Amino acid sequence: MDIGFMTSKSTLAEVSCTSVAAESLLLVTPETVKDPDWETLMALSFIDHTDGCHHANLLLGENYPEFQHSHQFPKKGYSNQIGLMLEPVSIGLGFTVLPAHAVEAFHKPEHIKARQLPNPVSETLYLCSRRHRGCQKRMETVITEARRWL
């Protein structure tokens, strides 16, 4: 593998990681939720996804003193497909925490409410490559395009 993108730095000595972007994490509720206080979140339940626990721990831990771990919430759903993660939220089954790009990609934005909380949290995106391996010309083009879009 020539390059990869990760949301945490690699612990392997042979992998070099460089920060290339930071993206806000957002609390996403059904559009009918007016105030996402602790009791409301507990009543709604958590819609989990591949990074759901990680994202919830980062954002909710900084904004709700009652928060200890995402397992505190009852779970009503799980998805590992970015296009489907917000479907259960849009029909009122629960809430989730996602990066801004995933929220922006949802095809029914009028059915959800994305919120930046008082203590914003961003997730860093790292460009990773092998430390002692030169970058081929074709990869320089890919990296330049990735940086432009990020």
Side-chain angles (χ1 to χ4, degrees):
M1 181 169 22
D2 292 312
I3 64 168
F5 293 95
M6 298 172 59
T7 56
S8 61
K9 286 186 173 183
S10 175
T11 58
L12 301 173
E14 63 269 18
V15 177
S16 172
C17 298
T18 305
S19 172
V20 292
E23 187 166 32
S24 296
L25 294 179
L26 304 172
L27 172 66
V28 188
T29 65
E31 58 89 20
T32 56
V33 173
K34 302 298 178 224
D35 179 26
D37 61 15
W38 184 252
E39 292 74 26
T40 301
L41 296 182
M42 290 299 288
L44 272 174
S45 299
F46 186 61
I47 306 300
D48 202 0
H49 55 87
T50 307
D51 290 323
C53 290
H54 173 66
H55 290 157
N57 290 342
L58 292 173
L59 184 63
L60 302 181
E62 287 295 319
N63 285 280
Y64 293 92
E66 305 90 341
F67 182 81
Q68 294 175 14
H69 195 277
S70 64
H71 294 327
Q72 288 174 267
F73 303 107
K75 289 189 180 154
K76 284 191 181 171
Y78 179 92
S79 177
N80 66 355
Q81 295 184 17
I82 195 163
L84 299 176
M85 286 178 191
L86 290 172
E87 283 294 335
V89 175
S90 73
I91 60 173
L93 292 180
F95 76 93
T96 196
V97 177
L98 283 170
H101 81 274
V103 176
E104 291 166 7
F106 188 56
H107 65 283
K108 294 190 274 185
E110 67 278 5
H111 296 288
I112 60 170
K113 181 129 179 145
R115 304 159 191 274
Q116 230 175 9
L117 297 179
N119 298 315
V121 173
S122 293
E123 184 173 50
T124 302
L125 183 64
Y126 297 95
L127 171 66
C128 303
S129 60
R130 291 188 182 163
R131 188 174 305 280
H132 301 293
R133 185 175 180 190
C135 187
Q136 298 176 9
K137 187 71 172 165
R138 70 175 185 267
M139 293 317 304
E140 289 177 16
T141 302
V142 171
I143 292 168
T144 299
E145 274 302 298
R147 286 181 188 267
R148 187 170 73 83
W149 285 98
L150 293 170

